[in-house]
Amino acid sequence: MKIANKFPGKDISIEDIKYKFPLVAKKNKSHKSKFKISGIEFGGNLIPVFAGPNMVESEKLIINCAVNVKKAGAHFLRGGAFKPLTFPYRSKKYTETRLEGLKWLKQAKIEAKIPVITEIMEEKYLDEICEVADILQIGSRNMQNFPLITACAKTQKPIMLKRHYGSSLRDWLGAAEYIMVEGNKKVILCERGVSVPHTHRSTSRFLLDLQVIPAAQEITHLPIVSDPSHATFWRQWVHSMSLASVAAGADGIMLEVHPDPKNSAVDPLQPIDYKEFKNLMKNMHSVAKASYKRKIL
Ligand code: PEP
Ligand code: MN
């Protein structure tokens, strides 16, 4: 094995960069993609924030969330109408809202004048989702669903590719190459916590891989968003892990925000409320200014 051919601490070789993900890889040390989505710039001084509930639960909830997260400075509204729920059993409260939810999301986008990111799980809903979404979210569980990724990429809509919780940086970048090879340049990566059996399971469901932010930025020119909500699973840890993500150089932050977190239809331990979100935005902005003269607000 040629040690010199490998990047420090990473399972990525010069050959990988040249032949396996040439479009995703940086062409030189300072190469960084800059692009705008609905007027919001990625890869520059701004750190765009995506905020909203886990699920588009009702029209009232998503409109209320859109208005409030926008007021606090969020750049995008997040929320899934289609959800990869871990277990198949549903209570009335715990049901995906699907095409109806998409209509509510569209209404929220119009009323609050905020762009939207939402998850796609099945190609058959691509047209309906593209009509509402400014960014298509490929969730952790579909990170290597290549037919889905390719179909989404071909639309030329911006795509956020969430890292699978068991995937290496190499596999994640390989999946991103599937988007770029279709000529789609607006690709955002999102770290959302990894599963490391035995080491952290007693403290949290996933482990936020902060180190993958600088590691990925050494290799790719694409922006890397951090999602401390899904990684920590506990709202008490979201504040500090968000500040840590900004300090680590994240190019964006995704947060679950809900008006009544304890009554969130999905993962009620995870979202923060409006007051905490407003406070966090202010503190993230301070850290952003202190690190590399960036900004959030
Ligand atoms: C989500 O963002 O709502 C979500 C399901 O995230 P992940 O795919 O990272 O689990
Ligand atoms: Mn979620």
Side-chain angles (χ1 to χ4, degrees):
M1 187 183 72
K2 273 199 251 157
I3 303 279
N5 218 12
K6 294 232 178 200
F7 284 80
K10 286 186 287 285
D11 181 28
I12 290 175
S13 68
I14 304 287
E15 276 71 30
D16 287 333
I17 288 180
K18 259 198 190 148
Y19 304 114
K20 302 219 164 86
F21 37 81
L23 302 173
V24 159
K26 286 163 99 165
K27 306 241 176 301
N28 55 59
K29 223 174 158 209
S30 59
H31 180 196
K32 192 164 172 99
S33 262
K34 251 194 204 181
F35 51 78
K36 279 191 178 170
I37 301 175
S38 306
I40 310 291
E41 187 170 70
F42 285 80
N45 288 341
L46 181 74
I47 303 176
V49 174
F50 306 78
N54 187 310
M55 186 158 93
V56 181
E57 295 174 30
S58 69
E59 185 170 28
K60 192 167 161 233
L61 173 112
I62 196 68
I63 293 175
N64 189 277
C65 264
V67 169
N68 280 281
V69 298
K70 164 113 192 231
K71 203 159 76 185
H75 306 91
F76 291 87
L77 173 68
R78 62 142 285 142
F82 296 88
K83 295 291 309 169
L85 299 167
T86 304
F87 302 102
Y89 309 110
R90 306 277 179 266
S91 67
K92 199 159 177 263
K93 190 175 157 192
Y94 196 74
T95 302
E96 289 172 277
T97 53
R98 308 195 128 213
L99 293 172
E100 203 179 12
L102 272 187
K103 281 190 203 139
W104 302 334
L105 197 54
K106 188 172 180 181
Q107 201 52 37
K109 171 177 164 159
I110 295 167
E111 290 197 19
K113 296 190 179 61
I114 184 168
V116 157
I117 178 165
T118 198
E119 178 158 356
I120 175 154
M121 295 203 298
E122 292 170 86
E123 190 185 336
K124 66 179 176 191
Y125 296 114
L126 192 54
D127 291 346
E128 287 94 338
I129 293 175
C130 279
E131 212 195 296
V132 180
D134 295 86
I135 305 175
L136 299 173
Q137 177 174 323
I138 307 272
S140 188
R141 289 150 189 86
N142 277 311
M143 188 200 84
Q144 287 185 313
N145 183 340
F146 300 122
L148 176 68
I149 292 175
T150 300
C152 290
K154 281 185 199 291
T155 67
Q156 302 302 329
K157 272 261 176 192
I159 295 178
M160 175 185 279
L161 181 66
K162 294 190 96 175
R163 180 188 188 187
H164 186 269
Y165 45 83
S167 112
S168 63
L169 176 57
R170 187 172 183 264
D171 290 352
W172 191 16
L173 296 181
E177 189 79 13
Y178 269 87
I179 305 173
M180 295 204 78
V181 81
E182 298 301 331
N184 192 329
K185 294 192 168 67
K186 295 189 177 180
V187 185
I188 302 162
L189 301 169
C190 178
E191 157 59 24
R192 47 78 69 217
V194 290
S195 187
V196 187
H198 314 306
T199 53
H200 72 285
R201 275 295 171 90
S202 56
T203 52
S204 74
R205 190 175 178 199
F206 300 108
L207 184 70
L208 180 61
D209 186 0
L210 283 171
Q211 283 177 204
V212 88
I213 299 168
Q217 286 168 341
E218 272 179 35
I219 293 175
T220 178
H221 54 87
L222 297 173
I224 327 283
V225 167
S226 173
D227 173 353
S229 299
H230 284 86
T232 59
F233 198 60
W234 306 117
R235 73 178 120 267
Q236 304 92 294
W237 299 348
V238 165
H239 196 113
S240 57
M241 289 303 104
S242 301
L243 300 185
S245 299
V246 173
D251 299 297
I253 302 288
M254 176 172 266
L255 292 163
E256 272 193 14
V257 181
H258 193 286
D260 181 11
K262 288 192 182 70
N263 283 309
S264 169
V266 186
D267 297 338
L269 301 172
Q270 212 164 270
I272 54 173
D273 64 17
Y274 296 153
K275 194 167 158 226
E276 171 64 1
F277 179 61
K278 196 173 162 205
N279 186 23
L280 178 55
M281 287 294 277
K282 205 171 73 213
N283 290 341
M284 285 196 297
H285 183 65
S286 300
V287 175
K289 273 201 299 186
S291 60
Y292 318 110
K293 292 202 180 73
R294 298 184 303 155
K295 60 179 184 176
I296 286 188
L297 294 169

